[in-house]
Amino acid sequence: MKHFLDICDFDAETLKSIIADGNKSLKGEYICGVAKSLKDKTLIMIFEKASTRTRVSFEVGMLQLGGNAVVLSAGDTQLGRGETIEDTANVISRYAKAFVIRTYKDSDVETIAKTATIPVINALTDGHHPCQSI
């Protein structure tokens, strides 16, 4: 399992491979009408910071590839107020195949990644925005 927390965690060849796979097989799967690679998979996203492009691209991408997306705002969760970051990561891990978080502190995303048993994607922190970078 590999998290996507910082673009610097990957070498250039791996990043090129990720982009090529998205352009070739996943996009082709959708265009050909056989989008099933994420069938019965759920992505849970927590947005403590507002988002348009990042949220829409993840949500629509999941739907186009046959999966589901659950979007939560900061007010929808107990994250940081009555529930630890670790507990949130554990709960999300039980219900989803991947976890996207858009928050403030890099350390919060790192804690989630250490605790979660599913891939974690940093959708934006004060220090990094790997999805936009790629």
Side-chain angles (χ1 to χ4, degrees), residues 22-94:
N23 281 332
K24 208 184 260 181
S25 61
L26 297 177
K27 195 171 190 178
E29 180 182 313
Y30 171 69
I31 290 169
C32 293
V34 293
K36 297 197 188 305
S37 60
L38 297 178
K39 185 177 180 344
D40 298 326
K41 306 280 192 293
T42 299
L43 171 70
I44 296 181
M45 302 181 282
I46 294 179
F47 287 88
E48 291 187 317
K49 289 183 170 188
S51 171
T52 301
R53 285 169 290 281
T54 302
R55 176 185 170 169
V56 169
S57 64
F58 274 105
E59 194 167 356
V60 170
M62 283 298 293
L63 295 172
Q64 288 178 341
L65 294 173
N68 302 296
V70 175
V71 182
L72 303 168
S73 68
D76 294 329
T77 72
Q78 293 296 318
L79 187 62
R81 55 182 179 133
E83 187 173 278
T84 67
I85 293 170
E86 293 86 355
D87 190 42
T88 297
N90 283 320
V91 169
I92 300 291
S93 293
R94 287 194 292 267

Side-chain angles (χ1 to χ4, degrees), residues 104-125:
Y104 296 91
K105 295 193 269 181
D106 291 292
S107 60
D108 288 350
V109 174
E110 291 163 9
T111 300
I112 288 168
K114 286 178 189 165
T115 308
T117 58
I118 57 175
V120 174
I121 299 169
N122 176 357
L124 174 72
T125 57

